Amino acid sequence: ASIAEIIFTSGATEAINLVAYTYGDAFLKAGDEVIVSLLEHHSNIVPWQLLQTRKNIVIKVAPMLPDGSFDLEGFRKLLTPRTKMVAVAHVSNTIGTVFPIQEIARLAHQAGAVVLVDGCQAAPHLPINVQELDSDFYVFTGHKLYGPTGIGILYGKKQLLEKMPPFLGGGHMINTVSFEKTTFASPPARFEAGTSNIAGAIGLGYAIDYVQKIGLDEIHQYEKILLDYLLQQLKTIAGLRVIGHPQDLSPVVSFVMDSAHPHDIATILDQYGVAVRAGHHCAQPAMQWFGVTGTTRVSLGLYNSIADIDQLMTGLRQVKKVFG
């Protein structure tokens, strides 16, 4: 609703920590509850655990359905008058689940809680309107959106930001400084201490212009074609199991193979010019819930093609030859 609602950070991790240290320290007390989901990235778990250490809050974990979808009814049952913060992903970084953010926000607000959304995996794939979503805070990282590293965004509703104390102290975030008393600037400057990452902000601006020129709706439709093709092709590899089958899915697919470790799969695929991620993806609770130590993850983007997926399949068939 206002440019004052946009704060530049070093990334989503700093943005979530900023909210936990400012809003969390100022407005949460012992016994208050923060709800996160099973599928969260560590960046949306650890800051709340640190707040738990400082303030003795209670962390609750929203369940998932067996297919990896968000369990909305299970979430509803967790809400109490003590629930003060709900912090969830917009899209899971491990299996691509798209969370029903509007309904999550509606239920959370009915309970008197504020909502923080980790939008890192949504920003490059989905049109985002924070006012329609009605999230109180929304974060994302530039390099997930084809921009530079070291730059990110925290969106916060103005009426909340104005109540929050500073995060870091220094230049730019003040009105006046004296040894008797320092007064602080209004948002967003209050939360942007020191010299900003000017080059990163400019680069992120160009990246946003780039995807908006193509059109996020068009990107979403194109990636859906790629995703459907990928899922069909993966079914042809014996012993390969896709982790999670949510109905509402972003183009992120994690899988395991009976005979090969995820790191070995990634090593062989690298020899075929195919880049994947292997490991727990900074989401160890999610891996434990799925009963695996790690997965191989394929992430599709607007720059990919059917030929890229065919090359992936060539590499996976080589994995089968090597490991059986």
Side-chain angles (χ1 to χ4, degrees):
S2 164
I3 60 171
E5 295 182 321
I6 299 298
I7 297 159
F8 287 103
T9 66
S10 65
T13 298
E14 183 190 0
I16 296 171
N17 276 275
L18 189 160
V19 175
Y21 273 93
T22 58
Y23 187 90
D25 276 8
F27 298 108
L28 272 67
K29 60 185 183 299
D32 285 345
E33 299 165 356
V34 173
I35 298 178
V36 299
S37 87
L38 260 172
L39 290 184
E40 297 309 311
H41 188 281
H42 295 165
S43 294
N44 204 22
I45 298 174
V46 178
W48 307 112
Q49 292 176 325
L50 294 174
L51 180 63
Q52 185 178 42
T53 300
R54 297 194 303 275
K55 304 283 287 188
N56 199 27
I57 63 164
V58 175
I59 296 176
K60 291 182 172 181
V61 182
M64 310 305 295
L65 297 172
D67 69 353
S69 300
F70 185 78
D71 185 348
L72 202 58
E73 186 55 36
F75 167 70
R76 187 197 310 267
K77 292 177 180 177
L78 291 180
L79 293 165
T80 76
R82 299 303 299 268
T83 307
K84 302 302 179 185
M85 173 70 71
V86 174
V88 294
H90 195 167
V91 173
S92 162
N93 76 303
T94 51
I95 63 169
T97 300
V98 180
F99 285 56
I101 296 300
Q102 282 181 300
E103 187 63 12
I104 290 171
R106 186 184 69 81
L107 292 172
H109 291 153
Q110 282 181 353
V114 300
V115 178
L116 180 145
V117 178
D118 173 1
C120 284
Q121 299 295 332
H125 302 297
L126 301 174
I128 297 166
N129 184 323
V130 290
Q131 295 183 72
E132 287 183 0
L133 293 174
D134 201 23
S135 61
D136 300 288
F137 301 101
Y138 195 99
V139 309
F140 69 87
T141 291
H143 70 267
K144 303 289 187 185
L145 192 63
Y146 314 116
T149 56
I151 189 74
I153 293 296
L154 166 63
Y155 156 80
K157 289 181 178 177
K158 188 177 179 182
Q159 65 268 28
L160 294 178
L161 295 176
E162 288 174 341
K163 297 176 183 177
M164 290 159 51
F167 180 42
L168 300 174
H172 185 63
M173 50 77 69
I174 55 89
N175 275 333
T176 62
V177 175
S178 72
F179 287 112
E180 290 71 37
K181 183 179 181 181
T182 292
T183 60
F184 302 112
S186 298
R190 182 185 303 168
F191 305 104
E192 295 178 340
T195 303
S196 300
N197 182 0
I198 300 166
I202 293 170
L204 176 57
Y206 275 103
I208 292 171
D209 288 343
Y210 170 67
V211 296
Q212 287 188 325
K213 183 176 180 180
I214 298 170
L216 279 156
D217 285 316
E218 286 76 9
I219 291 171
H220 178 65
Q221 293 303 318
Y222 176 68
E223 290 175 342
K224 179 68 165 56
I225 294 170
L226 295 179
L227 177 61
D228 290 344
Y229 182 73
L230 170 64
L231 291 172
Q232 288 300 318
Q233 290 299 305
L234 290 176
K235 292 177 181 178
T236 67
I237 304 293
L240 184 150
R241 177 166 60 95
V242 172
I243 302 299
H245 301 83
Q247 293 298 309
D248 200 353
L249 183 64
S250 190
V252 176
V253 177
S254 279
F255 63 86
V256 294
M257 295 179 71
D258 291 342
S259 56
H261 190 280
H263 291 160
D264 294 326
I265 297 170
T267 299
I268 290 177
L269 291 177
D270 177 61
Q271 296 171 1
Y272 285 79
V274 176
V276 295
R277 287 291 302 273
H280 56 64
H281 314 297
C282 295
Q284 287 178 302
M287 296 295 103
Q288 292 165 6
W289 188 71
F290 283 114
V292 298
T293 57
T295 68
T296 303
R297 186 185 70 193
V298 178
S299 300
L300 298 171
L302 61 87
Y303 48 80
N304 285 123
S305 66
I306 295 294
D308 292 332
I309 298 172
D310 289 340
Q311 183 70 359
L312 166 70
M313 299 310 300
T314 299
L316 290 176
R317 285 188 281 271
Q318 180 62 26
V319 173
K320 286 292 293 181
K321 286 182 182 179
V322 173
F323 291 99

